[in-house]
Amino acid sequence: MDYMTLKEASEKWGVTPRRINYLCAADRIPGAIKMATIWLIPKDAQKPADKRYKNSKTTL
């Protein structure tokens, strides 16, 4: 399986490496593993949904 680093994932997904680190530590990216001090993320991993924002709109 091919892996990418935090920096590569941040460029691919358009977020900061710190945010990717947080997502890995929170186990939000399936298949991400930590080798010593480096997170390895599968190249085919999808960017997880941002739980800070709601996607649904309420109708009146």
Side-chain angles (χ1 to χ4, degrees):
M1 178 177 272
D2 290 332
Y3 291 98
M4 58 184 163
T5 63
L6 290 177
K7 185 176 180 181
E8 293 168 340
S10 69
E11 291 170 357
K12 180 179 177 182
W13 294 341
V15 294
T16 63
R18 178 69 183 128
R19 181 77 181 142
I20 303 293
N21 188 47
Y22 170 77
L23 294 171
C24 290
D27 201 28
R28 300 255 326 269
I29 301 175
I33 56 173
K34 190 167 189 177
M35 298 288 284
T37 60
I38 299 170
W39 280 103
L40 298 175
I41 303 162
K43 286 203 183 250
D44 60 351
Q46 297 295 316
K47 178 182 175 184
D50 195 345
K51 290 186 176 181
R52 297 176 296 174
Y53 303 103
K54 291 184 180 179
N55 291 336
S56 63
K57 294 182 180 181
T58 59
T59 57
L60 299 175

